[in-house]
Amino acid sequence: MKILDGKKVAEIESLKLKNIVSSLPKKPSLAIIQVGNLEESNKYINNKIKKANELGITTQHIKFDENIKENEIINYINQINPKYDGIIVQLPLPSSLNKKRILDSIDPSKDVDCCNSINLSKFYNDDNPLFIPATARAIKILLDFYEIDIKNKKILVIGESDLVGKPTKKLLSYFSSHVDSTNKKIGISHANNYDVLIVAAGSPKLIKKNNVKNQAIIIDVGITIQDNKMYGDVDFEDVKDIVQAISPVPGGVGPLTVICLMKNLVEKLL
Ligand code: NAD
């Protein structure tokens, strides 16, 4: 069984990116907007700030009270659109706010998270999108690093969210003609027919041995934090003896996703 070591790949990508950043005439800048004070969001944002600073990217973290009015956030984004190279809005937003209106107020050329309607439409309908959603990109980079050729493989993406499942299915469909996806309603009873499982359900230890084909390759995207411990969507101990390769949690897709966000930011400045 091979471990698909996302942390190691992230370190390699990080070095490459650091060199590119140091050759730029000015430091790239990233604004991170947060509404409210969710503990998981705080953690993700701290990770992004830490990684950005390591790479030589300047960051500004703007934190709004959860009772802020939608229009105030939109006005603020309109104001800062010209000032930063990249702007991200940390999700989830409080349910009282219209997520789409807020994300659509980011200038598409600054939307490094690839979340606004124009960029999503380009990603799904255009061969030459401005950005690739970071998690999908991270998954592809991990597969490429370990020279996993998916061309003739049957792939199942477990999860169909706008953030992870859907863009991953779309991206992998460029490289394999057999990519399916499933959701909570359809279930996973057929998962053991697939050569590759990309699991992004947000359900800790969902995938057991009986859901996995012998010698399958698994990318575990899930991140659930319980009692200060991080869990993936795959029961690693249960499946480890029958898989060909698996990405662990922590240390799999997560560290690479942050790098891909920074790649999106830096590459458009070249
Ligand atoms: P989400 O809740 O928006 O979507 C989950 C999807 O999985 C839905 O389509 C749902 O129908 C499906 N699903 C849930 N249970 C299922 C089941 N039993 N069988 C089949 N499908 C099922 O979540 P999301 O934003 O897509 O995130 C998914 C997971 O990935 C979470 O754990 C999240 O923390 C993690 N995540 C990781 C990274 C990373 O970089 N590693 C990035 C983003 C999200």
Side-chain angles (χ1 to χ4, degrees):
M1 184 263 296
K2 183 172 224 153
I3 295 284
L4 306 175
D5 186 347
K7 196 162 170 250
K8 180 173 99 181
V9 183
E11 277 160 17
I12 295 168
E13 289 292 329
S14 186
L15 271 181
K16 286 196 243 169
L17 207 51
K18 208 171 169 175
N19 280 334
I20 297 174
V21 171
S22 65
S23 71
L24 293 173
K26 96 177 210 325
K27 281 186 168 192
S29 59
L30 175 69
I32 304 174
I33 296 172
Q34 181 180 14
V35 184
N37 189 32
L38 272 184
E39 196 192 326
E40 295 205 347
S41 293
N42 290 338
K43 273 192 190 150
Y44 291 138
I45 291 173
N46 284 342
N47 262 345
K48 287 171 193 170
I49 292 174
K50 197 169 150 229
K51 183 43 78 182
N53 293 342
E54 253 174 64
L55 294 170
I57 295 166
T58 60
T59 50
Q60 175 91 44
H61 179 192
I62 305 103
K63 203 165 178 171
F64 290 117
D65 185 87
E66 64 180 334
N67 297 317
I68 190 170
K69 299 261 176 315
E70 197 170 295
N71 279 345
E72 283 182 66
I73 304 174
I74 291 171
N75 287 342
Y76 181 80
I77 292 175
N78 285 334
Q79 246 181 55
I80 64 167
N81 266 332
K83 295 188 186 154
Y84 292 92
D85 297 311
I87 298 171
I88 58 181
V89 173
Q90 183 67 39
L91 299 176
L93 286 168
S95 55
S96 56
L97 299 172
N98 182 330
K99 181 173 99 175
K100 185 174 178 298
R101 265 195 83 211
I102 292 173
L103 294 173
D104 283 353
S105 65
I106 303 173
D107 176 339
S109 72
K110 311 288 169 85
D111 172 37
V112 289
D113 239 350
C114 196
C115 277
N116 76 20
S117 306
I118 292 177
N119 281 331
L120 284 173
S121 163
K122 271 183 185 290
F123 173 70
Y124 284 107
N125 305 312
D126 198 327
D127 279 348
N128 197 12
L130 215 51
F131 299 109
I132 298 171
T135 312
R137 196 171 180 193
I139 292 166
K140 184 65 175 66
I141 289 179
L142 191 59
L143 290 167
D144 286 348
F145 182 86
Y146 286 98
E147 296 178 343
I148 296 169
D149 182 4
I150 57 172
K151 196 163 96 200
N152 296 312
K153 293 200 166 60
K154 274 180 75 176
I155 301 170
L156 181 66
V157 180
I158 300 176
E160 293 179 339
S161 71
D162 291 336
L163 188 68
V164 186
K166 280 187 199 156
T168 301
K169 182 180 183 186
K170 173 72 185 174
L171 182 62
L172 298 185
S173 300
Y174 282 111
F175 306 94
S176 164
S177 55
H178 198 134
V179 187
D180 294 329
S181 63
T182 185
N183 57 38
K184 201 168 188 170
K185 232 171 163 180
I186 300 170
I188 53 167
S189 58
H190 56 314
N192 56 8
N193 293 318
Y194 289 83
D195 306 310
V196 180
L197 296 180
I198 313 286
V199 197
S203 179
K205 298 193 179 183
L206 171 72
I207 303 299
K208 308 275 183 199
K209 202 188 268 181
N210 63 317
N211 307 118
V212 176
K213 185 177 171 181
N214 203 21
Q215 291 303 300
I217 293 157
I218 305 187
I219 306 286
D220 187 354
V221 188
I223 297 179
T224 304
I225 298 168
Q226 282 170 353
D227 302 325
N228 264 330
K229 198 166 178 259
M230 193 185 279
Y231 296 91
D233 285 346
V234 180
D235 189 335
F236 185 91
E237 287 303 315
D238 201 47
V239 306
K240 69 175 195 231
D241 294 332
I242 64 161
V243 297
Q244 186 188 131
I246 182 167
S247 71
V249 177
V253 179
L256 259 177
T257 299
V258 186
I259 293 289
C260 286
L261 179 69
M262 304 303 159
K263 271 169 96 74
N264 278 351
L265 170 72
V266 171
E267 284 171 2
K268 81 173 175 73
L269 300 173
L270 299 178

